[in-house]
Amino acid sequence: MIHYSLLIGGKKVDTGETYDVISPGTGEVIATVAKGSPAEVDAAVAAAEAAFENSGWRDTPMHERAAVIERAAAALEARGEEISMLSARENGTPVRLAQGLSVGFPVAHMRYYADLARKYVQDHPTMVAGTVVGMIRREPIGVVAGIVPWNFPLLLAVWKSIPAIAAGNSIVLKVDEKTPATGLILAELLRESGLPDGVFNIITGDGPEVGGYLTAHPRVRKVSFTGSTATGRTVMRNAADNVKQVTLELGGKGANIVLADADLDLAVDGSLWAFLVHAGQACESGTRLYVHKDIYGDFVKRLVARAEGLTVGDPTDPGTDIGPLMNCSQYDRVTGFVAGAIAAGATVAFQAPLPDSLHPDGQWVAPTVFTDVTADMSIATDEIFGPVVSVIEFDDVDAVIAAANASEYGLSAGVWTTDYARATEIANRLQAGTVWINDWHNLPGPLPFGGVKQSGFGREMGPHAIEEFTNEKSICIDYSGREARAAWGLMFS
Ligand code: NAD
């Protein structure tokens, strides 16, 4: 049986207690991982702090930091097949999709961050007034905590750790105990690529106990958290005690708007992609599908016809389109929403038949399309995190924008139309951190990702990704050397 240890100060650490890592497609225990406690948080924070002070990483020239990140990206890419299969087994990402989500995006984003690091200018001379010169210096924050969920464990580990270390910080990353493997591989590859021990530490542990302790830790100066909105609130409260900086990437309920002039072939497939990627277990999914009344009937027919062609099955099989949900609590949550919607009067326009060949211990939930959904139903308001979409008819563009914006979430939204000027106007009015026009789930490195409202704040990727992990320092120099010019002349008579 494979066993994963924690990584603290460059050393593998076991604790005497373990979690089982269970494959969602089969229910099999595929590995064990050491279970961390507050004692390991203390050790990891101490190791990170020591590395921050003494390893020299924070003073390593940016081009050398970039080279370490690039070497690790190449090593990750070389292990792409293994990592895709690991994702399929560990969190049920269909292996074909995992090539993009679990390898392609992480590698591309690491290269983007490396490129940013290479061009990064730490000191900006900024003003001259007489004999006074100002300089803005960007400095690393210190020990940073990253906390990630199970749905995209490697991608999110990259988003937390790479810009943090590119900026010269040390990080303690709490991975989800259900998906520990790929974060550990990332940390190992960075070590092998030249990252000093202690700069990147990995722990696990029960969320409220260990995550809570980490986010309240007095030596941690920033928390970058991805997870649910409910946990995000707790993280923010815990971080307040020593006034930590916080970045929160939280839940979503993406509004996906299809105008009457949309290219229907594109919009139908794109809308399926929007809510079905990773069986809907993506924060930025498009799960409120607003379709203009002129095309509504035709659109729903086409959507169902295309959905019928998708294969639910073993995530390790390259022929599989939709895999299982993560675990039984996800299964209960999603099937509970489906049952609740039926009881509330929504119509099941499509529910994929689940093939008999599915493993009996897998967490299978049929992709489901609901119509006759009203704005007050929980499937229209709550994040389901499963393969379920609500199709809602609209007539008036202003009204649909108001409906889209009525959510407390604001992570993602989308518009399908052949009129790009109109699409841009609508995009400008949608309250979301990302708006896709004729696309979904595309996450290019140069575009910042994050939410508004209760989907969180702070951004990952984009041109300011490294700055998110720095403090600005103002340095003010008077090079006149003359007392007569100094402001304290105002004090002395
Ligand atoms: P979750 O909030 O339950 O857990 C996320 C992480 O936080 C886990 O590692 C967990 O152990 C830890 N945690 C739990 N309680 C904690 C506490 N009190 N203090 C600190 N850490 C704690 O979320 P989940 O159900 O595992 O993940 C799914 C959620 O993540 C969804 O809501 C989804 O929308 C969100 N998500 C957001 C993004 C984004 O970028 N906005 C990306 C992926 C997932």
Side-chain angles (χ1 to χ4, degrees):
M1 173 83 63
I2 301 170
H3 175 72
Y4 301 109
S5 308
L6 313 183
L7 184 71
I8 299 178
K11 296 197 173 52
K12 289 185 175 177
V13 172
D14 283 299
T15 60
E17 280 193 89
T18 56
Y19 293 107
D20 286 341
V21 178
I22 297 169
S23 186
T26 62
E28 261 179 291
V29 177
I30 51 171
T32 55
V33 59
K35 178 178 178 183
S37 71
E40 284 70 46
V41 174
D42 282 336
V45 171
E49 196 165 33
F52 184 68
E53 296 300 338
N54 307 319
S55 73
W57 178 251
R58 64 194 279 194
D59 300 317
T60 300
M62 290 307 282
H63 68 274
E64 286 179 30
R65 291 187 215 169
V68 168
I69 295 166
E70 254 167 11
R71 282 196 291 274
L76 199 63
E77 191 173 39
R79 289 175 64 175
E81 259 181 54
E82 171 201 346
I83 288 169
S84 302
M85 195 49 86
L86 203 51
S87 292
R89 280 165 60 74
E90 210 184 50
N91 79 352
T93 314
V95 67
R96 221 174 57 237
L97 186 66
Q99 289 164 8
L101 293 179
S102 312
V103 182
F105 272 156
V107 168
H109 295 168
M110 284 173 79
R111 290 191 169 133
Y112 173 72
Y113 288 130
D115 202 37
L116 269 191
R118 194 170 292 104
K119 295 180 189 136
Y120 189 73
V121 180
Q122 217 169 353
D123 299 302
H124 294 267
T126 184
M127 55 146 272
V128 179
T131 57
V132 173
V133 175
M135 191 165 77
I136 300 172
R137 184 174 174 72
R138 284 205 170 263
E139 298 186 328
I141 296 168
V143 178
V144 168
I147 299 182
V148 291
W150 46 264
N151 62 337
F152 299 125
L154 179 57
L155 181 63
L156 297 174
V158 163
W159 288 7
K160 305 292 173 214
S161 59
I162 302 299
I165 63 177
N169 301 282
S170 296
I171 184 161
V172 176
L173 182 71
K174 194 196 89 55
V175 296
D176 193 292
E177 67 281 0
K178 297 185 275 305
T179 52
T182 48
L184 281 159
I185 291 176
L186 175 68
E188 283 297 349
L189 293 179
L190 282 160
R191 269 189 85 215
E192 287 164 19
S193 303
L195 190 72
D197 287 346
V199 175
F200 192 170
N201 307 277
I202 298 221
I203 57 163
T204 62
D206 291 349
E209 187 197 14
V210 164
Y213 189 74
L214 179 63
T215 50
H217 201 290
R219 308 302 299 167
V220 171
R221 300 295 173 189
K222 167 159 181 149
V223 179
S224 180
F225 171 81
T226 294
S228 62
T229 296
T231 308
R233 285 188 200 105
T234 308
V235 166
M236 204 169 164
R237 278 189 208 106
N238 282 336
D241 276 348
N242 74 329
V243 195
K244 284 182 186 63
Q245 298 180 43
V246 182
T247 293
L248 298 176
E249 301 279 9
L250 309 175
K253 188 74 190 174
N256 183 10
I257 301 170
V258 185
L259 301 187
D261 67 352
D263 172 334
L264 284 197
D265 290 335
L266 198 68
V268 164
D269 283 9
S271 299
L272 283 173
W273 167 247
F275 87 92
L276 282 178
V277 151
H278 198 0
Q281 299 169 118
C283 50
E284 78 285 1
S285 290
T287 50
R288 290 182 289 155
L289 177 51
Y290 296 99
V291 180
H292 192 271
K293 73 169 187 4
D294 291 353
I295 55 165
Y296 180 84
D298 189 22
F299 187 93
V300 173
K301 249 188 248 154
R302 288 185 188 219
L303 190 79
V304 169
R306 287 294 278 169
E308 278 167 350
L310 295 170
T311 308
V312 178
D314 173 2
T316 64
D317 180 343
T320 291
D321 303 312
I322 318 282
L325 297 195
M326 182 66 224
N327 56 14
C328 46
S329 62
Q330 265 292 105
Y331 175 92
D332 290 345
R333 178 185 163 82
V334 176
T335 51
F337 271 109
V338 170
I342 293 168
T347 301
V348 177
F350 171 72
Q351 195 155 40
L354 295 177
D356 294 338
S357 57
L358 293 178
H359 195 290
D361 297 325
Q363 306 295 334
W364 310 106
V365 172
T368 305
V369 175
F370 277 109
T371 52
D372 300 318
V373 177
T374 53
D376 58 333
M377 288 183 191
S378 62
I379 48 163
T381 55
D382 294 6
E383 182 178 50
I384 300 174
F385 229 54
V388 181
V389 73
S390 303
V391 196
I392 302 162
E393 190 175 325
F394 76 90
D395 185 6
D396 175 66
V397 168
D398 288 334
V400 82
I401 292 172
N405 290 342
S407 174
E408 270 301 297
Y409 290 116
L411 190 59
S412 64
V415 188
W416 302 83
T417 171
T418 45
D419 181 342
Y420 285 91
R422 196 154 180 235
T424 312
E425 282 159 18
I426 294 172
N428 290 344
R429 292 171 61 193
L430 287 169
Q431 296 168 357
T434 294
V435 181
W436 283 287
I437 296 173
N438 296 337
D439 202 356
W440 209 284
H441 294 300
N442 192 5
L443 302 169
L447 290 180
F449 182 80
V452 300
K453 300 191 284 188
Q454 293 197 37
S455 288
F457 54 84
R459 293 291 179 265
E460 293 179 299
M461 302 193 294
H464 308 298
I466 295 180
E467 277 93 332
E468 291 264 343
F469 288 93
T470 62
N471 286 322
E472 275 185 335
K473 175 184 275 178
S474 294
I475 298 181
C476 187
I477 312 162
D478 183 341
Y479 63 85
S480 72
R482 294 223 212 110
E483 201 147 322
R485 288 185 180 271
W488 64 79
L490 294 171
M491 187 175 75
F492 299 109
S493 54

